[in-house]
Amino acid sequence: MVRIAREKRHALLQKRIEENPFINDEELAEEFSVSVATIRLDRMALGIPEMRIRIRQKAEAAQPKLRNATVVGELVDCIIGKKAISIMTATDDMVDEAHIVRSQCLYAQASSLARTVLNLPVCITAVANIKYKQPVTVGDKLIAKAEVMRQRDQKYYVWVTIRKMRKEVFRAKFIIESLE
């Protein structure tokens, strides 16, 4: 392929990435007969993120929109009505005088994830059975997994476990009632 002027290459690059956001820099470099570094510089000049970020953006756009997306921590996976996962790192503002993360912080992560997985417009937590099993300290990475166990009429039974390094530190069983 003959060398293309920068402006024209930019236009073609932008069009090509819009057509196929999953194309990588190596494939683009071969297609345009330029180096991978040139493709990266062109992408930066055009404000186009790298492939892994484009893939993440597409995946997030494909996710159903959550009504109650106020999750304590970062929501990393959610299949509405089935299961969800969030990640939170314990920070200094979560600890008490003994430098142990307060239980209400873990409850907030579990409760918000349980409500998010249900994605109900209006609901209340009718029952919460919780157990703080292990101390958590600053810097611990906490992975919460919620699973909808069953539904009876307007009541949903959701179990949430929070782990640090594969060890369960907190668990909760919620009965959440829809008010629709």
Side-chain angles (χ1 to χ4, degrees):
M1 185 176 207
V2 179
R3 273 236 192 260
I4 304 170
R6 180 184 302 150
E7 293 78 22
K8 184 166 178 138
R9 187 178 65 238
H10 280 192
L12 291 170
L13 178 67
Q14 200 160 17
K15 184 177 182 214
R16 185 70 176 104
I17 291 175
E18 285 172 8
E19 290 170 358
N20 180 9
F22 306 117
I23 192 166
N24 65 34
D25 290 347
E26 290 78 15
E27 294 168 329
L28 289 166
E30 188 175 318
E31 190 173 316
F32 291 105
S33 299
V34 295
S35 69
V36 174
T38 300
I39 292 296
R40 288 185 180 139
L41 289 170
D42 288 348
R43 271 193 311 93
M44 283 193 286
L46 294 167
I48 299 171
E50 59 187 54
M51 184 182 68
R52 68 181 176 83
I53 294 172
R54 293 193 308 264
I55 290 170
R56 177 194 259 170
Q57 290 170 342
K58 287 288 184 186
E60 288 171 354
Q63 285 278 348
K65 297 298 179 211
L66 297 171
R67 290 185 185 119
N68 182 15
T70 314
V71 179
V72 175
E74 178 187 353
L75 184 66
V76 293
D77 186 28
C78 183
I79 300 171
I80 295 172
K82 301 247 186 250
K83 61 183 180 174
I85 300 172
S86 72
I87 298 174
M88 176 176 75
T89 302
T91 58
D92 287 325
D93 60 328
M94 297 178 180
V95 298
D96 59 16
E97 303 80 36
H99 303 289
I100 303 295
V101 172
R102 294 184 304 274
S103 60
Q104 60 261 37
C105 298
L106 300 179
Y107 176 82
Q109 182 184 18
S111 176
S112 66
L113 189 61
R115 293 173 62 99
T116 297
V117 73
L118 294 175
N119 199 34
L120 298 170
V122 182
C123 63
I124 59 166
T125 301
V127 177
N129 181 344
I130 64 170
K131 186 169 186 180
Y132 193 157
K133 298 179 75 175
Q134 288 275 309
V136 176
T137 56
V138 172
D140 286 343
K141 186 176 183 180
L142 305 169
I143 301 171
K145 294 182 180 181
E147 185 176 354
V148 180
M149 300 309 286
R150 68 178 173 263
Q151 176 188 355
R152 287 191 186 147
D153 299 322
Q154 296 294 90
K155 293 183 180 181
Y156 297 83
Y157 298 77
V158 183
W159 292 5
V160 180
T161 58
I162 300 177
R163 298 178 182 275
K164 75 171 185 181
M165 299 182 62
R166 296 192 188 124
K167 189 156 187 132
E168 188 175 85
V169 295
F170 185 91
R171 74 173 175 219
K173 296 176 185 174
F174 296 101
I175 300 175
I176 298 176
E177 194 168 339
S178 174
L179 298 179
E180 283 193 307

